[in-house]
Amino acid sequence: MGWFGRKKPEGSAPTLVVLAQQALAERGMETTVEVLPGEHARLVGTDGRVFLLENLASQVHGEPPAVQADLVADHFDRMIQAYSEPAPEELDADELRTRIRTRILSEHSGTPSDPADLSYARPFAPGLVLGLCVDYPTMVSTLSASSLPRLALGIDELFAIGQLNTDDEPVDGHAEIAPGVFVVEGESLFVASKAVNLPALFGAAPFGTVFAIPHRHLLLAAPIRDADSIQAVQTLAGMLLQVLTSTDRALPGGQLSPLLFFSRNGQVSAVSGFDEDTGAMRIEIDERFQTALEQAAEG
């Protein structure tokens, strides 16, 4: 993904809606443009099929016109191929064990642009929940609560195996880019969701870990180890702001969370906020976080 590497090339591009309509028409699907109040434009096929464009917009942002056209064509090729995939309810137990993933999602999912019913999802952190997805070769399908009773596995097994599969998802980069500060990034939609099991990435952290997941392809982390860890957390906060405020690229899939979190012994809390007047980020050291820093300094 290269969030802290070179910038994407700049260039003007045709309207995404036009590119999308052209690509679908070339594949035998005529569409009309529909804009709901408060929502982004979307395309509606003559068969009633709806094509959302938000995620596609983040993919093509900042790319030159030729690259945008290729990305749009590839997107709809994969989407059309996905129509032939079996529904989650049609998968047998072994297929479901292979394809199930846990995924951190905004607790505000369930909008017209993300219609999955996540009432079954488990709390993860302020503003975030842990849901379940089926990973197909060409798409990822978020499970809705209504589908769970018809699946070949129970919900506890789905979460347990799904987390193991998410832990095993490949990453493209895993590096310490400043003293005590790590970046994990990749094309997988489940990179940020690895935050559910931080020891699988960084080993045991008896004093806990501060982390950020601004979007689904990126995880920033600072394990609390010694007296220098507060400096690592400050560096981490600066990197998070760099990602959130960058004008060179959109956040893939949209923003997941703008906050810093502290994870220790399975409990996750927010340890940052934003000044109401200036919008500046501030680190908020609660009792749990303060105890961890003191113990690490003594340790």
Side-chain angles (χ1 to χ4, degrees):
M1 301 296 290
W3 272 91
F4 294 98
R6 65 181 185 276
K7 298 178 181 179
K8 287 185 176 181
E10 297 180 354
S12 60
T15 303
L16 176 59
V17 171
V18 172
L19 281 175
Q21 280 194 299
Q22 290 175 343
L24 287 168
E26 291 169 358
R27 289 153 181 78
M29 297 183 181
E30 297 299 327
T31 58
T32 57
V33 181
E34 180 179 271
V35 182
L36 300 177
E39 293 291 322
H40 294 276
R42 59 187 189 176
L43 301 180
V44 180
T46 54
D47 61 354
R49 195 170 291 167
V50 176
F51 300 93
L52 303 176
L53 303 178
E54 288 181 70
N55 289 343
L56 185 55
S58 69
Q59 294 178 41
V60 304
H61 178 80
E63 299 287 4
V67 174
Q68 288 194 1
D70 288 342
L71 289 171
V72 170
D74 180 66
H75 173 83
F76 287 113
D77 282 340
R78 288 185 284 107
M79 180 175 287
I80 291 169
Q81 183 180 344
Y83 294 148
S84 63
E85 298 287 357
E89 299 90 333
E90 299 172 359
L91 299 175
D92 63 31
D94 287 340
E95 290 174 319
L96 201 50
R97 289 188 183 99
T98 298
R99 298 189 180 192
I100 195 68
R101 304 286 189 278
T102 54
R103 184 173 171 189
I104 297 173
L105 299 161
S106 168
E107 67 179 1
H108 301 299
S109 295
T111 65
S113 62
D114 186 4
D117 175 2
L118 294 176
S119 57
Y120 70 90
R122 297 177 173 180
F124 173 66
L128 300 172
V129 295
L130 189 64
L132 293 167
C133 296
V134 177
D135 187 23
Y136 293 99
T138 58
M139 69 169 185
V140 171
S141 175
T142 302
L143 293 181
S144 287
S146 60
S147 69
L148 295 178
R150 302 191 298 274
L151 297 181
L153 300 175
I155 189 168
D156 288 339
E157 187 173 359
L158 289 170
F159 271 104
I161 296 176
Q163 188 57 50
L164 291 174
N165 290 337
T166 294
D167 291 345
D168 287 339
E169 277 288 309
V171 300
D172 300 324
H174 182 172
E176 185 174 8
I177 62 171
V181 181
F182 295 84
V183 172
V184 181
E185 57 185 344
E187 293 294 337
S188 168
L189 299 182
F190 304 100
V191 173
S193 300
K194 290 175 177 288
V196 177
N197 187 8
L198 292 168
L201 285 172
F202 307 111
F207 304 119
T209 300
V210 177
F211 70 92
I213 43 177
H215 61 78
R216 61 194 184 189
H217 298 284
L218 182 64
L219 168 63
L220 308 173
I224 305 302
R225 293 172 173 165
D226 51 36
D228 295 330
S229 293
I230 190 61
Q231 178 58 54
V233 172
Q234 292 171 341
T235 301
L236 175 61
M239 291 179 176
L240 174 59
L241 278 176
Q242 179 184 339
V243 174
L244 295 175
T245 61
S246 173
T247 59
D248 298 314
R249 66 192 81 194
L251 300 181
Q255 180 176 281
L256 189 52
S257 175
L259 299 177
L260 291 173
F261 298 101
F262 173 60
S263 175
R264 189 182 191 187
N265 298 329
Q267 184 178 350
V268 180
S269 57
V271 291
S272 72
F274 293 89
D275 186 274
E276 293 183 1
D277 296 326
T278 66
M281 178 185 286
R282 60 176 182 269
I283 297 174
E284 299 176 343
I285 301 180
D286 60 14
E287 184 176 351
R288 290 178 62 245
F289 190 22
Q290 181 68 41
T291 298
L293 291 173
E294 291 174 353
Q295 290 174 342
E298 296 169 357

